Amino acid sequence: MSYLKDLQKQFVLVPIDKASGNIAFVCKRFYAQVLVKELGLDGKKGSPTYQRILRQGINKIIDNQSNHLKKKFNLEVSSESKLLPHIYWLPKLHKNPIKFRFIIAAPNCSIKPLAQTITKIFKLFYRQIETYNNKSQFYSSVKTFRVIKNNEKVIESINKLNKRNSAKSISTYDFSTLYTKIPHQKLLEVLNELVDFCFQGGTHEKVSINKSNARWVSKNNKSKLSFNKDVIKDGIKYLMGNCFFTFGEKLFRQIVGIPMGSDPAPFMANLFLYHYESKWVKSLKKDSIQRARRYSNTFRFIDDLLTINDRDEFSRSFKEIYPPELELNLEHSGDQVDFLDLNINKENAHLSTTLFDKIDAFPFAIVRLPFVSSNIPSNMFYACIGAEILRVGRVSSSSENFFSSCNTLVARVEIQGSNLFRLTKILKKTYGRQQILKQFAKNANEFVNKILNTKK
């Protein structure tokens, strides 16, 4: 503890972006200088995303939020939560030159109960919107919902294309600084419109919120915490207008965009972009259903976007789809792209996939799994290996790609202290339980030998 305190006099210890289990030691002076520059406290113009608050004190803001949450939303703010979030940054060490990801968050803060409640409501609305659009696509063959949670739909689409040998093009795009560019007024208008949509046509007039989720209830429901449409809109507006945070003893407010690190941020970003995407495709369907159907293999994971076989439809239209404040850049196009944890290669009319890990771009070794000597049960260490093998299996389209990735994994865990007997045991167990792995080997012994590079 003594040595750690000495380190902290000179360095800030902070998780590395995209490799949260790894810690960067950053010069304390430099760490502060980056924040000072971002907030415009160095006498120069800082980011237009933030506004310095001078006429209100931190304690007054906390008291106002606590009282308003109780009076308007029946939400209690505990004594340990009577705080404001603070701003900090994570280093993007995979970028050259190194960049910074700014986060505004805290485990406990006075606005947290409302943020968690709105998140549960957005989660309910997200499922409803997704279901509605999936049914619409079934009848019209026009895709109006391109948001995904993982790579499953991408792999499913690739498999369908490969059965017909009809792969023609692949491209990826990326929104730059999405969270800090969305204007609050536009965000509020879009979210209010989506709230209205979710309440249309149903028999329920309220949403009930409990510890784990939100659900639709009738107007006569006696639930302690239930919101109608107007209260939900008020909650969203209040949440966006109260993006206060601290830097030392100074008070700021985020006046543009969504605070990265807040609970509902991913849902807000996804639903905001969905609004413009679905609106565009629906208007396009009226003019040319053939063009609208070219978006059938377009996928978006928050700010990352993939298009397959769209005949360059998206590249011609994306500037018309999204609001001008957002900047979308073409990342890769051609015969090879990376999307989520997939490396996708096009050869002739066939697409192959293998595991892609952004951590591989780091110019130094990154710890991805725990060590056997870690302060955890060894069973967890070997269970992590089995889970990683299964992940590789799900994204690998060929045995060669699968075993190559597994050989690299085994080399890493050997350095981290794995025992050959227990490693063999977990590999056989994973093979026996997971049907998807049986495509790569005839039996468990062959499977294990190929992963271990025929080691006995």
Side-chain angles (χ1 to χ4, degrees):
M1 293 301 296
S2 172
Y3 279 118
L4 182 59
K5 288 178 181 178
D6 284 341
L7 276 172
Q8 289 175 328
K9 289 178 182 178
Q10 302 295 332
F11 298 99
V12 176
L13 280 62
V14 61
I16 298 171
D17 186 55
K18 298 290 190 291
S20 57
N22 298 262
I23 303 298
F25 289 74
V26 185
C27 167
K28 185 175 283 189
R29 178 182 292 273
F30 175 72
Y31 193 90
Q33 285 174 344
V34 171
L35 288 173
V36 165
K37 182 179 179 181
E38 176 71 6
L39 297 173
L41 296 174
D42 57 353
K44 300 177 182 178
K45 188 176 181 180
S47 171
T49 302
Y50 313 111
Q51 179 187 56
R52 178 84 182 274
I53 305 298
L54 298 172
R55 296 184 180 179
Q56 289 179 286
I58 294 174
N59 291 332
K60 186 177 180 180
I61 293 291
I62 294 172
D63 289 340
N64 288 342
Q65 290 181 346
S66 302
N67 294 333
H68 190 81
L69 262 61
K70 176 60 179 175
K71 182 179 178 180
K72 182 68 178 180
F73 307 107
N74 197 25
L75 293 169
E76 293 282 354
V77 179
S78 62
S79 56
E80 61 268 19
S81 295
K82 290 190 175 181
L83 305 164
L84 291 181
H86 58 277
I87 187 170
Y88 62 97
W89 60 267
L90 309 181
K92 296 184 176 184
L93 297 182
H94 57 293
K95 300 289 186 179
N96 187 14
I98 292 171
K99 295 185 179 180
F100 320 105
R101 183 181 298 280
F102 295 94
I103 309 289
I104 298 172
N108 297 301
C109 59
S110 52
I111 203 72
K112 191 84 168 182
L114 180 60
Q116 291 176 329
T117 300
I118 294 297
T119 301
K120 293 171 187 175
I121 294 171
F122 277 156
K123 191 173 183 179
L124 174 68
F125 289 171
Y126 177 94
R127 291 196 301 266
Q128 182 175 337
I129 291 169
E130 182 180 24
T131 301
Y132 168 84
N133 282 275
N134 287 342
K135 289 182 179 179
S136 174
Q137 182 181 355
F138 177 80
Y139 291 108
S140 67
S141 299
V142 174
K143 183 177 182 178
T144 51
F145 190 83
R146 65 187 60 164
V147 190
I148 57 173
K149 302 172 187 175
N150 50 46
N151 62 28
E152 288 183 9
K153 291 187 177 180
V154 178
I155 293 174
E156 180 184 339
S157 179
I158 287 174
N159 290 337
K160 288 181 180 179
L161 291 172
N162 285 341
K163 286 181 180 179
R164 302 193 299 267
N165 283 321
S166 58
K168 296 175 183 177
S169 66
I170 46 175
S171 300
T172 57
Y173 300 79
D174 176 68
F175 286 95
S176 60
T177 57
L178 169 65
Y179 283 92
T180 56
K181 292 293 185 181
I182 299 175
H184 276 189
Q185 187 57 38
K186 283 189 178 181
L187 178 61
L188 186 60
E189 289 172 0
V190 166
L191 294 179
N192 283 343
E193 188 173 328
L194 291 175
V195 170
D196 288 334
F197 171 80
C198 290
F199 272 89
Q200 283 176 2
T203 58
H204 300 122
E205 297 183 12
K206 287 188 177 182
V207 173
S208 172
I209 300 96
N210 56 37
K211 289 184 178 181
S212 58
N213 57 33
R215 59 189 180 88
W216 292 102
V217 294
S218 66
K219 62 180 180 180
N220 298 320
N221 185 275
K222 296 180 180 180
S223 171
K224 181 180 178 182
L225 188 63
S226 59
F227 293 171
N228 61 27
K229 179 171 64 174
D230 293 332
V231 175
I232 292 173
K233 289 182 178 181
D234 288 342
I236 297 170
K237 183 178 181 179
Y238 189 79
L239 197 62
M240 289 167 52
N242 281 263
C243 300
F244 294 101
F245 65 93
T246 60
F247 174 58
E249 296 182 355
K250 295 178 173 60
L251 177 64
F252 291 84
R253 184 165 68 98
Q254 183 167 339
I255 58 174
V256 180
I258 309 165
M260 185 176 289
S262 64
D263 294 79
F267 286 105
M268 283 184 171
N270 265 330
L271 292 174
F272 180 78
L273 295 178
Y274 153 76
H275 169 80
Y276 291 97
E277 292 162 350
S278 62
K279 187 177 180 180
W280 168 261
V281 174
K282 287 175 183 176
S283 64
L284 190 62
K285 183 171 67 172
K286 295 177 181 178
D287 299 329
S288 173
I289 195 168
Q290 289 80 13
R291 287 182 62 194
R293 285 174 177 167
R294 292 173 189 170
Y295 288 92
S296 297
N297 294 306
T298 301
F299 307 92
R300 180 175 55 77
F301 183 83
I302 305 182
D303 58 353
D304 293 320
L305 205 141
L306 169 71
T307 64
I308 306 176
N309 282 15
D310 71 332
R311 299 186 185 179
D312 293 326
E313 183 66 45
F314 184 75
S315 65
R316 289 192 298 268
S317 307
F318 71 80
K319 291 183 179 179
E320 301 175 50
I321 298 174
Y322 302 104
E325 293 86 357
L326 302 184
E327 182 180 347
L328 184 65
N329 302 309
L330 174 66
E331 277 202 323
H332 301 287
S333 183
D335 294 334
Q336 187 272 331
V337 301
D338 300 319
F339 182 70
L340 300 183
D341 57 350
L342 295 173
N343 175 264
I344 308 172
N345 282 276
K346 185 177 77 70
E347 187 173 348
N348 297 324
H350 185 87
L351 296 175
S352 63
T353 58
T354 187
L355 182 68
F356 166 73
D357 199 331
K358 285 187 177 180
I359 293 177
D360 292 332
F362 284 76
F364 48 85
I366 291 291
V367 177
R368 311 174 199 217
L369 295 174
F371 281 72
V372 173
S373 58
S374 300
N375 189 25
I376 61 170
S378 59
N379 286 344
M380 291 179 65
F381 170 77
Y382 291 101
C384 286
I385 298 173
E388 189 69 4
I389 292 290
L390 179 59
R391 183 169 82 99
V392 175
R394 285 173 173 162
V395 303
S396 299
S397 58
S398 71
S399 297
E400 182 181 355
N401 290 339
F402 171 75
F403 288 115
S404 175
S405 297
C406 288
N407 295 155
T408 303
L409 171 63
V410 167
R412 284 206 314 269
V413 298
E414 283 181 341
I415 295 173
Q416 293 175 216
S418 65
N419 173 275
L420 183 59
F421 172 77
R422 295 193 65 180
L423 181 58
T424 301
K425 185 177 179 181
I426 193 65
L427 292 177
K428 287 184 176 180
K429 184 177 180 180
T430 305
Y431 177 85
R433 288 184 172 181
Q434 303 296 336
Q435 187 66 34
I436 193 172
L437 299 179
K438 291 177 172 54
Q439 61 179 309
F440 301 115
K442 296 178 182 177
N443 54 57
N445 287 332
E446 181 186 8
F447 182 79
V448 171
N449 287 336
K450 286 187 176 181
I451 287 180
L452 300 179
N453 254 337
T454 66
K455 292 181 180 180
K456 301 291 183 181

